Amino acid sequence: MVDASGDSKSILLVGAGGIGAPAAWALALAGVRALVLVDEDAVELGNLHRQILFEESGVGHSKVVALAEALGREAPGLDVSWFEGRAAPSTVAELVGRAGVVIDATDNFPTRFLLADAAHLAGVPIVHAAAVRWQATVLGAAGHGKPCYRCLFEDVPSGALLDCATAGVAGPVCGVAGAVAADRAIRILDGDRTAVGTIVTYDGLTDRLRQIEVHPRANCALCGAEATIGTIDARRYTNAVTCE
Ligand SMILES: [Zn+2]
């Protein structure tokens, strides 16, 4: 049972889709008490294969509302609240600042970098989870000597990238990403420092699950000794798409 009472122990889950839905379910059934959902999209028929907890009857309705209702049925003791909208430069600090840990289950790089920056600046640990085709990747990040998202990926990429619309994503791979992200978030709330500073990758074609230790990058713009990112500047978060 995770003690998630009070804002500092709540989990902020950004993205209620292919990764967010299974992550939310895992968190609810694990005994997490407080969950805040953020998403701006509606349930779509073509996404139901990976966005478990949604039903055909919910198509067209708000994802966060549909997910909150489903979680209410599965885990009545869970305190679920939601923000129907995008994690934007103007809203992210308030959302992240209240959380004990953030799960980034979003579908685009600008929002990933926005969440990474906001979490680091607020001193809140964050778990980034992504999936495309048969590959899932989960990174647990935090300050205090541990790497951040920008230590690995530096800046918002530009140009043509793989996304769900063109590359596709296997539903079970999203489930793995969501489950690993939920596991990490719970461990972080429990004070387990081994839950940050590593990447877990899963290959759905070979069943290979790997854990790779990563280290802070000395010249990282966010967490390095001479970091240049000290505030949320909306101009940093533009460009291309990714997958969830
Ligand atoms: Zn860094």
Coordinates of all heavy atoms in Angstrom, one line a residue, residues 168-212:
G168 N 2.9 3.1 -36.2 CA 2.0 2.2 -35.4 C 2.7 1.8 -34.1 O 3.8 2.1 -33.8
V169 N 1.9 1.2 -33.3 CA 2.4 0.8 -32.0 C 1.6 -0.5 -31.5 O 0.4 -0.5 -31.7 CB 2.4 1.9 -30.9 CG1 0.9 2.4 -30.6 CG2 3.0 1.5 -29.6
A170 N 2.3 -1.4 -31.0 CA 1.6 -2.7 -30.5 C 1.0 -2.4 -29.1 O 1.7 -1.9 -28.2 CB 2.6 -3.8 -30.5
G171 N -0.2 -2.7 -29.0 CA -0.9 -2.5 -27.7 C -0.3 -3.1 -26.5 O -0.1 -2.4 -25.5
P172 N 0.2 -4.4 -26.6 CA 0.8 -5.0 -25.4 C 2.1 -4.2 -25.0 O 2.5 -4.2 -23.9 CB 1.1 -6.4 -25.8 CG 0.1 -6.7 -26.9 CD -0.1 -5.4 -27.6
V173 N 2.8 -3.7 -26.0 CA 4.1 -3.0 -25.7 C 3.7 -1.7 -24.9 O 4.5 -1.3 -24.0 CB 4.8 -2.6 -27.0 CG1 6.0 -1.7 -26.7 CG2 5.3 -3.9 -27.7
C174 N 2.6 -1.0 -25.2 CA 2.2 0.1 -24.4 C 1.9 -0.4 -23.0 O 2.2 0.4 -22.0 CB 0.9 0.7 -25.0 SG 1.2 1.6 -26.6
G175 N 1.3 -1.5 -22.9 CA 1.0 -2.0 -21.6 C 2.2 -2.3 -20.7 O 2.3 -2.0 -19.5
V176 N 3.3 -2.8 -21.3 CA 4.6 -3.0 -20.6 C 5.1 -1.6 -20.2 O 5.5 -1.4 -19.0 CB 5.6 -3.7 -21.5 CG1 7.0 -3.7 -20.9 CG2 5.2 -5.1 -21.8
A177 N 5.1 -0.6 -21.1 CA 5.6 0.7 -20.7 C 4.8 1.3 -19.6 O 5.4 1.9 -18.6 CB 5.5 1.6 -21.9
G178 N 3.5 1.1 -19.6 CA 2.6 1.7 -18.5 C 2.9 1.0 -17.2 O 3.0 1.6 -16.2
A179 N 3.1 -0.4 -17.3 CA 3.3 -1.1 -16.0 C 4.6 -0.8 -15.4 O 4.8 -0.6 -14.2 CB 3.2 -2.6 -16.3
V180 N 5.7 -0.7 -16.2 CA 7.0 -0.3 -15.7 C 7.0 1.1 -15.1 O 7.6 1.4 -14.1 CB 8.1 -0.5 -16.8 CG1 9.4 0.1 -16.3 CG2 8.2 -1.9 -17.2
A181 N 6.3 2.0 -15.8 CA 6.2 3.4 -15.3 C 5.5 3.5 -14.0 O 5.9 4.2 -13.1 CB 5.5 4.3 -16.4
A182 N 4.5 2.7 -13.9 CA 3.7 2.7 -12.6 C 4.6 2.1 -11.5 O 4.6 2.6 -10.4 CB 2.4 1.8 -12.8
D183 N 5.3 1.0 -11.8 CA 6.2 0.4 -10.8 C 7.2 1.4 -10.3 O 7.5 1.6 -9.1 CB 6.9 -0.8 -11.4 CG 7.9 -1.4 -10.5 OD1 7.5 -2.1 -9.6 OD2 9.1 -1.2 -10.7
R184 N 7.8 2.1 -11.3 CA 8.8 3.1 -10.9 C 8.2 4.3 -10.0 O 8.8 4.7 -9.1 CB 9.5 3.7 -12.1 CG 10.3 2.7 -12.9 CD 11.5 3.3 -13.5 NE 12.4 2.3 -13.8 CZ 13.6 2.5 -14.2 NH1 14.1 3.7 -14.3 NH2 14.4 1.5 -14.5
A185 N 7.1 4.7 -10.4 CA 6.5 5.8 -9.7 C 6.2 5.4 -8.2 O 6.4 6.2 -7.3 CB 5.2 6.3 -10.4
I186 N 5.7 4.2 -8.1 CA 5.4 3.7 -6.7 C 6.7 3.6 -5.9 O 6.8 4.0 -4.7 CB 4.7 2.3 -6.8 CG1 3.3 2.5 -7.3 CG2 4.7 1.6 -5.4 CD1 2.7 1.2 -7.7
R187 N 7.7 3.1 -6.5 CA 9.0 2.9 -5.8 C 9.6 4.3 -5.5 O 10.2 4.5 -4.4 CB 10.0 2.1 -6.7 CG 9.6 0.6 -6.7 CD 10.3 -0.1 -7.8 NE 11.8 0.1 -7.8 CZ 12.5 0.0 -8.9 NH1 12.0 -0.3 -10.1 NH2 13.8 0.2 -8.8
I188 N 9.5 5.3 -6.3 CA 10.0 6.6 -6.0 C 9.2 7.2 -4.9 O 9.8 7.8 -3.9 CB 9.8 7.5 -7.3 CG1 10.8 7.1 -8.3 CG2 10.0 9.0 -6.9 CD1 10.7 7.8 -9.7
L189 N 7.9 7.0 -4.8 CA 7.1 7.5 -3.7 C 7.5 6.8 -2.4 O 7.5 7.4 -1.3 CB 5.6 7.3 -3.9 CG 4.9 8.3 -4.8 CD1 3.4 8.0 -4.7 CD2 5.1 9.7 -4.3
D190 N 8.0 5.6 -2.5 CA 8.4 4.9 -1.3 C 9.9 5.2 -1.0 O 10.4 4.6 0.0 CB 8.3 3.4 -1.6 CG 6.9 2.9 -1.3 OD1 6.1 3.6 -0.7 OD2 6.6 1.8 -1.7
G191 N 10.5 6.1 -1.7 CA 11.9 6.5 -1.4 C 13.0 5.7 -2.0 O 14.1 5.7 -1.5
D192 N 12.6 4.8 -3.0 CA 13.6 3.9 -3.6 C 14.4 4.7 -4.6 O 14.0 4.9 -5.7 CB 12.9 2.7 -4.2 CG 13.9 1.7 -4.8 OD1 15.1 2.0 -4.8 OD2 13.4 0.7 -5.3
R193 N 15.7 5.0 -4.3 CA 16.5 5.8 -5.2 C 17.0 4.9 -6.4 O 17.5 5.5 -7.4 CB 17.8 6.3 -4.5 CG 17.4 7.4 -3.4 CD 17.0 8.7 -4.0 NE 18.2 9.3 -4.7 CZ 18.1 10.3 -5.5 NH1 16.9 10.8 -5.9 NH2 19.2 10.9 -6.0
T194 N 16.9 3.6 -6.3 CA 17.3 2.8 -7.5 C 16.3 2.9 -8.6 O 16.5 2.4 -9.7 CB 17.4 1.3 -7.1 OG1 16.2 0.8 -6.8 CG2 18.4 1.2 -5.9
A195 N 15.1 3.5 -8.4 CA 14.1 3.7 -9.4 C 14.4 4.8 -10.3 O 13.7 5.0 -11.3 CB 12.7 3.9 -8.7
V196 N 15.4 5.6 -10.1 CA 15.8 6.7 -11.0 C 17.3 6.4 -11.5 O 18.1 5.7 -10.8 CB 15.7 8.1 -10.3 CG1 14.3 8.4 -10.1 CG2 16.6 8.1 -9.1
G197 N 17.6 7.0 -12.6 CA 19.0 6.9 -13.1 C 19.2 5.7 -14.0 O 20.3 5.3 -14.4
T198 N 18.1 5.0 -14.4 CA 18.2 3.9 -15.3 C 17.1 4.0 -16.4 O 16.0 4.6 -16.1 CB 18.1 2.5 -14.6 OG1 16.9 2.4 -13.9 CG2 19.3 2.3 -13.7
I199 N 17.4 3.4 -17.5 CA 16.4 3.2 -18.6 C 16.0 1.7 -18.7 O 16.9 0.9 -18.6 CB 16.9 3.7 -19.9 CG1 17.1 5.2 -20.0 CG2 16.0 3.2 -21.1 CD1 17.6 5.7 -21.3
V200 N 14.8 1.5 -18.8 CA 14.3 0.1 -19.1 C 13.8 0.1 -20.5 O 13.0 1.0 -20.9 CB 13.2 -0.3 -18.1 CG1 12.5 -1.6 -18.6 CG2 13.7 -0.6 -16.7
T201 N 14.3 -0.8 -21.3 CA 13.8 -1.0 -22.7 C 13.2 -2.4 -22.8 O 13.7 -3.3 -22.2 CB 14.9 -0.8 -23.7 OG1 15.9 -1.9 -23.6 CG2 15.6 0.5 -23.6
Y202 N 12.1 -2.4 -23.6 CA 11.5 -3.7 -23.9 C 11.3 -3.9 -25.4 O 10.8 -2.9 -26.0 CB 10.1 -3.8 -23.1 CG 9.3 -5.0 -23.5 CD1 9.7 -6.3 -23.1 CD2 8.2 -4.9 -24.3 CE1 9.0 -7.4 -23.4 CE2 7.5 -6.0 -24.7 CZ 7.9 -7.3 -24.2 OH 7.2 -8.4 -24.6
D203 N 11.7 -5.0 -25.9 CA 11.5 -5.3 -27.3 C 10.4 -6.4 -27.4 O 10.7 -7.5 -27.0 CB 12.8 -5.8 -27.9 CG 12.7 -6.0 -29.4 OD1 11.6 -6.4 -29.9 OD2 13.7 -5.8 -30.1
G204 N 9.3 -6.0 -28.0 CA 8.2 -6.9 -28.0 C 8.4 -8.1 -29.1 O 7.6 -9.0 -29.0
L205 N 9.3 -7.9 -29.9 CA 9.6 -9.0 -30.9 C 10.5 -10.1 -30.4 O 10.5 -11.2 -30.9 CB 10.2 -8.4 -32.2 CG 9.3 -7.5 -33.0 CD1 10.0 -6.9 -34.2 CD2 8.0 -8.3 -33.5
T206 N 11.4 -9.7 -29.5 CA 12.4 -10.7 -28.9 C 12.1 -11.0 -27.5 O 12.8 -11.8 -26.9 CB 13.8 -10.1 -29.1 OG1 13.9 -8.9 -28.3 CG2 14.1 -9.9 -30.5
D207 N 11.2 -10.2 -26.9 CA 10.9 -10.4 -25.4 C 12.1 -10.0 -24.6 O 12.2 -10.4 -23.4 CB 10.5 -11.8 -25.1 CG 9.1 -12.2 -25.6 OD1 8.3 -11.3 -25.8 OD2 8.8 -13.4 -25.8
R208 N 12.9 -9.1 -25.1 CA 14.1 -8.7 -24.3 C 13.8 -7.5 -23.5 O 13.3 -6.5 -24.0 CB 15.3 -8.4 -25.2 CG 15.9 -9.6 -25.8 CD 17.2 -9.2 -26.6 NE 18.3 -8.8 -25.7 CZ 19.4 -8.2 -26.2 NH1 19.5 -7.9 -27.4 NH2 20.3 -7.9 -25.3
L209 N 14.0 -7.6 -22.2 CA 13.8 -6.5 -21.2 C 15.2 -6.2 -20.7 O 15.9 -7.0 -20.1 CB 12.9 -6.9 -20.1 CG 12.4 -5.9 -19.2 CD1 11.4 -4.9 -19.9 CD2 11.6 -6.5 -18.0
R210 N 15.6 -5.0 -20.9 CA 17.0 -4.6 -20.5 C 16.9 -3.4 -19.6 O 16.0 -2.5 -19.7 CB 17.8 -4.2 -21.7 CG 18.0 -5.3 -22.7 CD 18.7 -4.8 -23.9 NE 20.1 -4.4 -23.7 CZ 20.7 -3.5 -24.4 NH1 20.1 -3.0 -25.5 NH2 22.0 -3.2 -24.1
Q211 N 17.8 -3.3 -18.7 CA 18.0 -2.1 -17.8 C 19.4 -1.5 -18.0 O 20.4 -2.2 -17.9 CB 17.8 -2.4 -16.3 CG 17.9 -1.2 -15.4 CD 17.3 -1.4 -14.1 OE1 16.1 -1.5 -13.9 NE2 18.2 -1.5 -13.1
I212 N 19.4 -0.2 -18.3 CA 20.7 0.4 -18.7 C 20.9 1.6 -17.7 O 20.0 2.5 -17.6 CB 20.7 1.0 -20.1 CG1 20.3 -0.2 -21.1 CG2 22.0 1.6 -20.5 CD1 19.9 0.3 -22.5

